[in-house]
Amino acid sequence: MADLRKLRTQREIQQALADLLLKKTFSKITVTDIVNKALINRNTFYLHYRDKYDLVDQIIMTMVDQSSFSINEFNTTPFYFLRSISNEASDLGHQIINRQRADSEFQEVVLKTILKLVMTDADSSNSQIWFTFGKLSAIMAWNNQHGYYYDIIQDADQLQQIFDTEEFPKLND
């Protein structure tokens, strides 16, 4: 029975976060917001998660575990990999991704989680993984600097081209 209670509580916490992510950016959400929405005690939250970042981390890891794509695809085609995660997300997941697109804190936790997953599946001495993350981070920072000109999901082809050519296009801001 304890396992069912634990699973139910985790589901309630995750649902509370999902509801909040539809209303405000991740960077503005607090653990207090989450526990109030989930109708649980703060201590209960901390029995399951270290903080809101750990909560998002666990949700993303579950999504990747349940998906049909390989984490190895990330190394050569990171933007297609990110698009495939989005494509397999539920309607709620799509709404959350759309709402959180411009939140750099949300993007950072997603990238860190993916890095953790990739490093778990790969040889950490493989320098290609590190260069992939470096290029991906540079492209994300450049896109942020240009007011999120490219949508990470809808414009995956253009972003992947930037990744492959290592050249930023001239933008007409």
Side-chain angles (χ1 to χ4, degrees):
M1 258 329 170
D3 285 343
L4 286 178
R5 277 200 317 246
K6 179 180 178 182
L7 291 173
R8 188 177 310 121
T9 301
Q10 288 174 335
R11 186 180 64 218
E12 290 298 322
I13 293 169
Q14 291 176 6
Q15 185 61 52
L17 177 64
D19 292 346
L20 289 165
L21 287 170
L22 292 172
K23 295 181 176 113
K24 57 201 279 193
T25 59
F26 178 74
S27 57
K28 303 272 192 236
I29 296 172
T30 64
V31 170
T32 301
D33 295 332
I34 298 167
V35 299
N36 288 342
K37 184 76 174 169
L39 301 173
I40 61 168
N41 186 294
R42 192 175 188 84
N43 290 336
T44 302
F45 177 89
Y46 289 115
L47 284 173
H48 299 277
Y49 305 101
R50 288 186 307 276
D51 52 28
K52 70 178 189 174
Y53 303 96
D54 184 41
L55 171 56
V56 170
D57 184 71
Q58 293 302 316
I59 292 170
I60 293 168
M61 291 179 99
T62 299
M63 283 177 63
V64 171
D65 286 344
Q66 294 173 350
S67 69
S68 62
F69 51 86
S70 167
I71 199 81
N72 295 326
E73 294 171 32
F74 175 82
N75 206 26
T76 54
T77 55
F79 288 101
Y80 294 151
F81 175 83
L82 293 172
R83 181 170 61 189
S84 65
I85 290 174
S86 173
N87 288 343
E88 291 195 18
S90 65
D91 287 339
L92 176 63
H94 283 286
Q95 292 173 29
I96 290 169
I97 290 166
N98 287 332
R99 176 70 172 93
Q100 298 301 318
R101 262 192 190 131
D103 188 350
S104 59
E105 193 173 319
F106 185 77
Q107 287 183 9
E108 185 178 326
V109 75
V110 169
L111 287 176
K112 283 182 179 179
T113 300
I114 292 171
L115 175 61
K116 187 186 327 179
L117 285 166
V118 170
M119 296 312 291
T120 300
D121 282 3
D123 176 8
S124 64
S125 66
N126 180 351
S127 60
Q128 182 60 42
I129 293 167
W130 295 106
F131 283 109
T132 296
F133 264 98
K135 285 170 57 175
L136 180 65
S137 297
I139 293 167
M140 302 282 276
W142 173 85
N143 196 40
N144 181 335
Q145 198 67 24
H146 289 87
Y148 299 96
Y149 185 84
Y150 290 108
D151 180 277
I152 293 171
I153 306 306
Q154 294 174 354
D155 298 323
D157 292 329
Q158 293 88 339
L159 291 166
Q160 187 61 46
Q161 183 177 2
I162 294 168
F163 180 87
D164 293 338
T165 63
E166 298 181 355
E167 292 183 21
F168 293 112
K170 209 153 188 59
L171 300 178
N172 299 325
D173 288 326

